[in-house]
Amino acid sequence: MPFSNYAAADTVSVDVDGQEYIIGINPEGIEVQSIEGDGELALLLTVDSSSSSGTLEISFDREFFDSTFQGEDDSFFVILDGFDEATFEETKTDSTRTLLIDIPSGTEEIEIIGSHILDGTFGKIQSGSKPAVTEPPAVTEPPAVTEPPAVTEVPKVTEKEPTQCGPGTVLKNGECVLDETCGQGTHLENGVCVLDKPGSSSSVERPPMSQLIYGAAAALVISFSVIIFFWIISRANREQK
């Protein structure tokens, strides 16, 4: 069974050029004192099994430590104290390999030999810790949508009522409108001031020149009437004589 399935066990971290790998160890009846790389092919563990025999389950990442031949999985060699071949069982997945090794009483060193191992720096054995769990990548939240600033309404400009109007207009209800009154001698027709016609009832009084002409004519008529009157009287007197 892969080490990752155990709820609690001892672990050792290995740093390989900034990449961390976790080796899981689960001893029964023995104590694992240290673990390190042994050359380019093996792991070397020192153990204390002086009081009794036991077992050691060890699990590692294939990328860190594996045993293959011509692209196919090959068996590991497990040597005890430099010359005794150990009895063990193996389970494996696509990413890990796990060995369950029988450890006789009095064993001090276990060497596990494969086909390749990465050169890294081993940390201390962390007893009772859970195997490291690879956290999923952080979800990048979409950038916050910045709301556009509120549009401030421009206050309405109250137009001042005109106090004066131009020529030809008059102020009416606060607005300049056309002056619909016409001057002397003119009258309003279709919204336009036009000259009065002679004899038109719309004329208030005659122009000054017309008054002079009519006055002179009246004087001539009166003078002529007076002359006729005196001529008739003069003729009547001559006939009486």
Side-chain angles (χ1 to χ4, degrees):
M1 180 180 294
F3 172 75
S4 58
N5 290 341
Y6 284 86
D10 297 347
T11 63
V12 175
S13 63
V14 185
D15 185 289
V16 181
D17 296 330
Q19 174 67 46
E20 185 180 46
Y21 296 94
I22 300 298
I23 299 175
I25 50 178
N26 187 20
E28 293 288 343
I30 65 170
E31 179 187 354
V32 178
Q33 297 175 328
S34 67
I35 180 170
E36 60 184 4
D38 184 18
E40 298 180 353
L41 301 177
L43 279 176
L44 184 63
L45 297 86
T46 58
V47 298
D48 181 4
S49 62
S50 57
S51 59
S52 64
S53 60
T55 60
L56 172 66
E57 186 177 60
I58 180 169
S59 177
F60 37 79
D61 195 312
R62 284 176 177 268
E63 291 185 4
F64 168 67
F65 183 37
D66 204 356
S67 179
T68 60
F69 179 73
Q70 294 182 349
E72 301 292 335
D73 287 345
D74 197 5
S75 296
F76 289 96
F77 291 97
V78 181
I79 307 298
L80 305 178
D81 293 330
F83 57 89
D84 291 333
E85 187 174 352
T87 303
F88 67 92
E89 296 178 356
E90 179 184 0
T91 58
K92 55 187 176 181
T93 68
D94 291 339
S95 59
T96 62
R97 298 185 74 164
T98 302
L99 307 181
L100 180 60
I101 307 170
D102 293 328
I103 308 297
S105 177
T107 301
E108 297 179 352
E109 186 178 87
I110 304 171
E111 186 176 17
I112 305 172
I113 303 171
S115 61
H116 62 276
I117 186 173
L118 298 179
D119 184 16
T121 302
F122 288 76
K124 294 182 179 180
I125 297 176
Q126 302 294 324
S127 179
S129 62
K130 294 182 180 180
V133 178
T134 303
E135 295 183 357
V139 178
T140 304
E141 295 183 359
V145 178
T146 303
E147 296 182 357
V151 179
T152 304
E153 294 184 358
V154 180
K156 295 182 179 180
V157 179
T158 304
E159 297 183 357
K160 294 183 178 180
E161 295 184 356
T163 56
Q164 295 181 352
C165 296
T169 61
V170 294
L171 185 64
K172 186 176 181 180
N173 296 329
E175 296 182 355
C176 289
V177 297
L178 290 174
D179 187 2
E180 297 182 353
T181 61
C182 297
Q184 188 176 359
T186 61
H187 63 278
L188 187 65
E189 185 176 330
N190 296 328
V192 180
C193 290
V194 297
L195 292 173
D196 292 335
K197 296 181 180 179
S200 173
S201 59
S202 62
S203 299
V204 177
E205 58 182 12
R206 299 178 183 279
M209 184 60 69
S210 299
Q211 292 179 1
L212 292 176
I213 294 173
Y214 283 106
L220 288 176
V221 171
I222 294 171
S223 298
F224 184 73
S225 298
V226 171
I227 292 172
I228 297 239
F229 176 73
F230 282 109
W231 180 79
I232 293 172
I233 294 174
S234 175
R235 183 176 179 182
N237 290 333
R238 283 198 302 267
E239 288 180 354
Q240 288 178 0
K241 292 178 178 183

